[in-house]
Amino acid sequence: MKQYFNHKLYVDGLKQLRAVGIMGAVILLIPSFFVPFMMSFTESVYHGVKEIQHINFPSGVWYVFALLFIGVPIMMFQLMGFLNRRNACDYYHALPIKREGLALSFLASILTWNMGLYLMVIVVNAITCMCCPYVEFQWEGVFVGSISFLMSTLFVMSGIYIGMSVTGNLMSNLAVSVMVIVVPRLLITAFLAVMIESVDTCTFELSGTILDDRLNTFTNMLTGPIIHGEYTGLSSWLSILYTLVISVLYLLLGTYFMKKRPSEAASYPATSKRAQLLFRLTPAALFALIPTCILFASSHGAYDIDEEEILVCIILYIIAIVIYAMYELITTRRLINVFKSLKGLIFLVIFQVVFYLLACAGREVMLNDIPEPSSVKYMTLNMPEILGANYYTVKMATTPYDNENLKTLLCNELRNNNEVIRQKKDIYDYFNYMGTYYPTDFIDEFADIVNDSYYQRLEVQFKNKGFGTKTKTIYFNQGSLEYFLEYIVECPETTEVLQTRFAREEVRDYDYNSNTLSLDQVYDLYCSYMDELNQMPVERQLMYLYGYSRYENNLEDVWKNDNAQKITLYTNGASLNQDASYSRSYYAYRMPLYVGSAFPKTRALLEAYER
């Protein structure tokens, strides 16, 4: 009786992968044993105290991701390789089991081996850490990370499954599998990149939308370090669900192609001429997007393309045609097929035109995507760009602000920004020549420090009262910037942030001309400093906490005649970071303390500690 899953084939698949699995286990066991021991013997001393080091997920077990990039492809090509051999293909197709049952049984074997190796790495690391002094394995985030890894494995498997179902030789298997896995996200990223290039208020932070590059748990590994400068390995449940849905769709699509695939397709580059046309078009079309994006940005941006750039675009289009021809030559190994395929270049042109038109439509959507103040529930403000990256400005970035004046100002500024962009003006030059406004003496004094280049930008997340969040970059001229700062001072949310304290455990080190202080003493100075600071007006607190940024030297000049002692605390910001895998020893933020005459209690405490 034909089945959708066969236990005997599943076990047979496990046996066929035994050699690869054992070799992978040996390779992964080496760092699993040695990394904790090496960390144990590595000195991690802070002010005379040897601290415990932590192996976090995934940064401490980064090598486990070799399973996704190496392990899964090798196992897939070994176990499903019968599709590339006519005799083997005929044999497996003759078995009394549905083709989808054959594929699912083998895919289950591959998934079992990979997840087994993954769990082995986690368990061995945990056990080894128990035997190593001053090294601990952090279980926080392992559960969600494991589900994320499972979804990524399923996604890669299903992508290769499609690639092997529609092609018949190894070269085509590899090429099409990469296309299926990477190309959809590359197209989305290219579209978003051209939006950002032509609409300055658009950002990569499109959380929860199809344009969010972090929505797919696997492609997040590829784009995260490039776009966002980091990859945590931990995904939201929305990302996990999204990747699961895409993987299931890929599995269904691969199964459909598997059922329609004739045995005669083995050893051929594609199962049909239409499929081969699509495969050779894809890499050429992707490369041709480079000059297309350049032309779009120049025609919708604030600069004119010159003759040299036009020549570069022409050369890039020619290279795309060469890529189109080379794919056909490499996969079919027949020169005559290259000449026959040239008539398909019309589809390459059509694709570029369609992408260009979609980009035009997308640009209009972005320019009109302006929230109304009445529809905004609250906002979060990414302050470090304006006030510098210290503990408190980053705390502000996670604090919901619900202030009507602030909502109105930011929505209006976004509308002004988009109107400037729509007129194809350079937003930087435009705001450089705007007027200024100083509502208070504090703002007047603060402007000399903040407004270094006559404009500042702020990343704002608008949380709608209904569903969804919009993230925009808003550019200020000096006048609107000071209005913004005035409203920030008035908000009770700002006062609440300024009254928070980070824990003693977050202080990793400090910098002071006298290094005789202990970390406990430095933390006491910080608490005393903040207690005195909180007695001052909010605007004065912002000025003192503004210290660490590209304008720090300017800030020091303001109090250079005060003979203030500067103590810089280095904190890991653990209480700010919701990611449980965050390194306990990482110096995320600097916190400067200017201990001068404005802080008499703190200065007295410092003098007592220095005696």
Side-chain angles (χ1 to χ4, degrees), residues 48-87:
V49 179
K50 185 169 183 178
E51 294 199 347
I52 294 176
Q53 300 185 74
H54 300 85
I55 292 182
N56 306 295
F57 183 89
S59 58
V61 290
W62 52 268
Y63 43 86
V64 77
F65 292 103
L67 288 171
L68 289 175
F69 296 96
I70 302 176
V72 173
I74 290 177
M75 292 183 182
M76 283 291 296
F77 292 134
Q78 177 177 345
L79 206 54
M80 302 292 290
F82 68 88
L83 293 171
N84 295 335
R85 303 186 300 273
R86 175 64 186 275
N87 292 338

Side-chain angles (χ1 to χ4, degrees), residues 148-431:
S148 175
F149 184 87
L150 173 62
M151 293 301 103
S152 298
T153 303
L154 194 61
F155 174 75
V156 175
M157 282 176 45
S158 59
I160 298 176
Y161 179 37
I162 292 178
M164 299 191 73
S165 297
V166 296
T167 58
N169 59 47
L170 183 59
M171 180 62 69
S172 298
N173 292 163
L174 287 168
V176 176
S177 297
V178 172
M179 292 180 197
V180 173
I181 293 171
V182 178
V183 166
R185 182 50 57 181
L186 278 180
L187 286 174
I188 294 173
T189 303
F191 180 83
L192 180 56
V194 80
M195 289 297 98
I196 293 174
E197 182 67 24
S198 61
V199 181
D200 293 291
T201 54
C202 181
T203 75
F204 272 110
E205 303 297 328
L206 296 169
S207 180
T209 70
I210 190 65
L211 294 178
D212 187 353
D213 58 283
R214 294 166 297 188
L215 199 55
N216 186 304
T217 59
F218 176 75
T219 54
N220 180 26
M221 300 179 196
L222 306 176
T223 60
I226 299 173
I227 296 176
H228 305 284
E230 62 177 350
Y231 167 68
T232 64
L234 302 179
S235 302
S236 66
W237 289 107
L238 177 62
S239 300
I240 291 173
L241 179 61
Y242 173 84
T243 309
L244 175 62
V245 171
I246 295 298
S247 300
V248 171
L249 291 176
Y250 274 13
L251 285 172
L252 293 175
L253 191 60
T255 300
Y256 172 80
F257 290 134
M258 180 82 167
K259 293 172 64 176
K260 297 293 183 180
R261 188 183 194 277
S263 296
E264 293 81 4
S267 76
Y268 286 92
T271 55
S272 66
K273 292 183 178 180
R274 290 181 180 179
Q276 179 66 5
L277 172 62
L278 177 63
F279 300 155
R280 65 172 172 260
L281 273 175
T282 301
L286 281 176
F287 189 86
L289 283 180
I290 298 175
T292 300
C293 290
I294 293 175
L295 294 175
F296 178 86
S298 64
S299 60
H300 293 83
Y303 67 92
D304 297 324
I305 192 170
D306 55 28
E307 295 181 357
E308 183 177 342
E309 289 174 324
I310 293 176
L311 179 60
V312 170
C313 290
I314 293 174
I315 293 174
L316 291 175
Y317 279 127
I318 294 174
I319 294 175
I321 296 173
V322 172
I323 292 173
Y324 175 89
M326 288 299 296
Y327 181 92
E328 182 70 15
L329 181 62
I330 293 172
T331 55
T332 65
R333 299 178 183 177
R334 294 181 179 180
L335 187 60
I336 188 64
N337 288 346
V338 175
F339 294 104
K340 292 181 179 180
S341 68
L342 292 180
K343 58 185 179 182
L345 286 174
I346 183 64
F347 295 104
L348 182 62
V349 176
I350 292 174
F351 178 82
Q352 303 305 311
V353 172
V354 170
F355 183 88
Y356 190 96
L357 294 177
L358 286 175
C360 291
R363 183 175 184 272
E364 282 302 310
V365 171
M366 292 292 182
L367 290 174
N368 293 320
D369 186 25
I370 303 172
E372 292 296 329
S374 59
S375 66
V376 177
K377 183 178 181 180
Y378 64 81
M379 303 164 296
T380 57
L381 314 172
N382 192 353
M383 301 290 287
E385 186 72 25
I386 289 180
L387 296 183
N390 63 43
Y391 177 89
Y392 290 94
T393 54
V394 177
K395 180 73 174 176
M396 285 183 183
T398 60
T399 300
Y401 276 79
D402 183 12
N403 179 282
E404 295 303 322
N405 289 334
L406 200 55
K407 291 178 184 179
T408 302
L409 173 67
L410 293 177
C411 291
N412 288 339
E413 281 302 305
L414 178 59
R415 184 173 289 105
N416 293 337
N417 281 194
N418 285 354
E419 187 59 34
V420 172
I421 296 169
R422 193 189 301 276
Q423 297 173 11
K424 300 181 182 180
K425 296 179 180 178
D426 189 325
I427 196 167
Y428 301 101
D429 290 342
Y430 178 79
F431 285 104

